[in-house]
Amino acid sequence: MSELVGTWRLARLALRRDRIGLPVWVLLAISLAAGPAGSLADAYATAEKQREYAEGVGSNPAAAVFSGPSLGVEHLGGIVVKESAVWVLLLVAITSIMLVIRYTRTEEESGRAELVTAAAVGRHSRLAAALLVVGVADLLIGLGAAAGLMGAGLSGAGSLAYGLGVTMVGWVFAAVAAVTAQLVEAARTANGIALAVFGATFLLRGIADSASVANDGTGGVRLLAWASPTGWFYQLRPYAGERWWVLGLAVLTGAVLSGVAVALSQRRDIGAGLLAARLGPPDAKPGLATPLALAWRLQRSGLISWAAGVAVGGAVLGSLAHDITDMVGQNATAAKAIRQLGGADVLVDSYLVWVLRILGLAAAAYAVSAVLRLRSEESGLRAEPVLAAAVTRTRYALSHVLVAVFGVVVLLLTAGLVVGLVHGARSGDVGGELPRILGAALVQLPAALLPAALAAALFGLLPGATMVGWLFVGVILLIAQLGPVLELNQWVMDVSPFTHLPRLPGGDVTAMPLVWLGALALLLGAAGLATFRRRDLDTA
């Protein structure tokens, strides 16, 4: 029997199961790619404004850490790549990873894969179906993005390079996830390893691109961009003299990784991983007797990973704060762009506001993932045995919410400490910089908790719609990055809770917005706990 028998049927099953989620993901990614083009075309309609952008944001090494190198930013196409591509790449790469793990390792973890393979299904058909579904979805995103950008008046070659570059990144990280799915037994661990690979390569790309824009990095530093699939997207050079051969590099890498995944899958049993899981003690520790202890045990490894990521990001971005004035020099446009992003009067303070805002958004994303662990425990049938004991629903749900709140505090403390120490050491004033930056980080607590509170409310009221919490985080990210540049209406900016925070460090502290944000988060969280008590468990 062929090793791929049943692949098409399994692909159809995956499409059937995700008939709503997959189209939403594809349309959202296309919208992120093509949607800003019209607004950016209006904002930078003249050659003079495009030149000002190139001299401002385009010449800012700090911006290059996150949004890539400045290739062709003296024209509208390059500006679109600079402003929108990073968000599309993040969405496509992360979602591709999570979907491949969902179709492979999660199915094994739940026991459904064993039932499927008992039928006339080839050994590698599940893996092939997962890569096929995700690969086609990535291709549709790429073609849709290209069509949307061409519809906005951008050149056909550059738009096609943009779209295929996005597809390329999705394919590579889907193959990365296919490999990690063979290594470990737990789906969350497989996701974590693949996302760690993505984060590490994204960071390498940021360091290389920052050095390239600053024009002070060695050749070796700039070559780090070639170690990152997201760096390959920019090396493809959409709208800046396309280099089509880079696509072949990605296709080759994806094919090699897929072959490695197939070879590894032959060496393990269904449900097992190549790296054997460590056996736990025969008896649980007394400390695990409470729902809070169980929630902490389930979520502590994730919090450690998030804290490590925030620490690395804070160290890299914080190290640039001391030199930001020299980087900008006499470029008034660049200084204006940084002040727009941060909102403070002093240039260094405005940059620090932006850095802490990005790290605060990371804390908000962690909080949403921690709260949504409730949903995965419920749908995975692990909540029922816990609730069958002498545990109330309120205590059970509240335990995960408290872990989320604690995690946000830890991440904000980490961000404040790392950025404060790094910037203070470089400026020679640790004693002065550390307290004010740490306070500025902690001020973001109510805003960072609000998306998690919304996720908690949806978990109680509409458990099938909990992904709206992630959508809210995405909207906040877009507003934070594109809102000031595009000068969006104030009512749009007000959708983000971070808009209402004091501009710290350097600004004045106003307590009322913090009180209102905290009260709203508390109200939404309480609503989620109350409605969870009154509904049936939903395992769909």
Side-chain angles (χ1 to χ4, degrees), residues 470-528:
W470 284 116
L471 181 62
F472 187 36
V473 172
V475 170
I476 294 173
L477 281 169
L478 288 176
I479 291 174
Q481 290 301 112
L482 296 180
V485 175
L486 298 180
E487 298 181 353
L488 298 178
N489 291 332
Q490 188 59 42
W491 69 267
V492 178
M493 299 295 295
D494 288 341
V495 171
S496 170
F498 289 88
T499 301
H500 307 280
L501 295 176
R503 304 293 181 177
L504 299 177
D508 298 326
V509 179
T510 52
M512 191 54 64
L514 303 179
V515 172
W516 280 110
L517 289 172
L520 181 57
L522 185 62
L523 181 63
L524 287 172

Side-chain angles (χ1 to χ4, degrees), residues 168-191:
M168 167 185 73
V169 172
W171 282 355
V172 171
F173 282 106
V176 169
V179 172
T180 63
Q182 316 306 317
L183 299 178
V184 291
E185 292 184 10
R188 291 179 68 87
T189 306
N191 264 321

